[in-house]
Amino acid sequence: MTKKKAASDKTTAELEGADKTGPDVSIMDACIAHAKEVKATQLELIKSKDYDFAPEFRDMTIQLYLFGVMWKFAENLGSAEDARELAFAALAEFFVQERMPQQKVAKRIEFLRKMSKIEEDHNALAVAIGYESEPGDNSLAEVFDHYVDDTQVSGAFWRLYDRGRKIMLYGGLAIAFLVIWFVTLFMPGNTTIAILASGLIAAAIFVIPVFLIGIFIYRTKIKKAKQAS
């Protein structure tokens, strides 16, 4: 009798738990479906604008925008109290469904959580506009239009950075290899540590000037952009 009662109590508790979690799960699924629809629509609307942004900035902006969209959608479905957290949970599941590696999802959500707020605890622009967006409007374009003249997030600037990074990496490795090869072949008798040190020093002599030139170009471009604005 006691076992039957315990089993009955357990079943009742599970049903109550299902009643509590069920609505949140269905709301989260609805948020994800809505976000996918909004994303497809908005990306189609901005396709003709040919925005040229750094890939990381573009992805982050779209994700923050979709977070705002899901936040408002969750509120409209009756989850006003925890709609923000529910939207983050939905966004995480959204990433999983888009085949983002599981280990990256938590880090990405943590990053977006930080970027979703700016000074004085205000929402980031992409979040705010996503929250206020309406179906079929040009709200994502409105977000990107704010950054069209921002050199720091431009695609051209990102390509310059990426090119410089590759030059430093591969150039430094090539110089180090050549010096190690030269010392080993034409200057026998050196210790292994001395040979490796010569390679590292040669790589540093190449990398440091390239890095400084990159910093100079960066500051010059930023200065010109500020003067133009």
Side-chain angles (χ1 to χ4, degrees):
M1 184 71 180
T2 305
K3 290 183 179 180
K4 288 183 179 180
K5 184 177 180 182
S8 177
D9 291 341
K10 182 179 179 181
T11 303
T12 303
E14 288 175 350
L15 289 172
E16 289 175 354
D19 290 340
K20 291 178 182 178
T21 58
D24 282 348
V25 171
S26 62
I27 290 174
M28 190 166 73
D29 289 340
C31 285
I32 294 170
H34 179 63
K36 288 181 178 180
E37 182 180 347
V38 170
K39 181 181 179 181
T41 302
Q42 291 295 326
L43 290 181
E44 186 65 29
L45 289 172
I46 67 171
K47 187 183 294 184
S48 61
K49 291 184 175 290
D50 294 325
Y51 290 121
D52 185 25
F53 292 110
E56 175 61 27
F57 173 78
R58 182 180 183 275
D59 292 344
M60 179 194 71
T61 301
I62 292 173
Q63 289 163 0
L64 288 174
Y65 171 84
L66 291 177
F67 163 68
V69 168
M70 287 192 280
W71 182 6
K72 181 61 176 292
F73 191 75
E75 285 186 348
N76 290 341
L77 291 179
S79 295
E81 292 183 2
D82 58 347
R84 184 181 174 87
E85 290 304 314
L86 187 61
F88 273 123
L91 189 60
E93 181 60 27
F94 179 86
F95 291 154
V96 171
Q97 293 183 13
E98 291 209 326
R99 301 185 184 280
M100 179 182 287
Q102 189 69 46
Q103 62 271 22
K104 291 185 179 180
V105 172
K107 291 182 179 179
R108 190 63 182 176
I109 291 296
E110 183 181 354
F111 170 73
L112 293 173
R113 192 184 292 274
K114 292 178 181 177
M115 299 303 295
S116 67
K117 291 286 188 179
I118 54 177
E119 63 273 4
E120 298 181 1
D121 206 36
H122 292 155
N123 291 315
L125 178 66
V127 176
I129 292 180
Y131 184 88
E132 298 294 338
S133 65
E134 297 292 339
D137 63 9
N138 287 297
S139 49
L140 184 57
E142 182 184 347
V143 178
F144 281 128
D145 285 343
H146 280 81
Y147 300 100
V148 167
D149 297 322
D150 191 339
T151 306
Q152 297 181 72
V153 297
S154 69
F157 188 78
W158 177 83
R159 287 187 292 274
L160 176 65
Y161 161 77
D162 190 56
R163 197 178 303 120
R165 182 174 58 85
K166 289 178 179 177
I167 290 172
M168 285 192 294
L169 175 61
Y170 297 121
L173 288 173
I175 293 293
F177 175 79
L178 287 173
V179 170
I180 290 172
W181 173 80
F182 180 85
V183 172
T184 303
L185 194 62
F186 297 103
M187 300 175 66
N190 289 292
T191 63
T192 303
I193 294 177
I195 294 172
L196 292 175
S198 63
L200 289 173
I201 292 170
I205 291 173
F206 172 81
V207 168
I208 291 173
V210 173
F211 175 75
L212 293 175
I213 291 170
I215 293 294
F216 174 76
I217 293 173
Y218 170 79
R219 290 184 175 179
T220 302
K221 284 184 173 291
I222 295 301
K223 187 176 181 180
K224 287 182 179 179
K226 288 181 178 179
Q227 289 175 348
S229 60

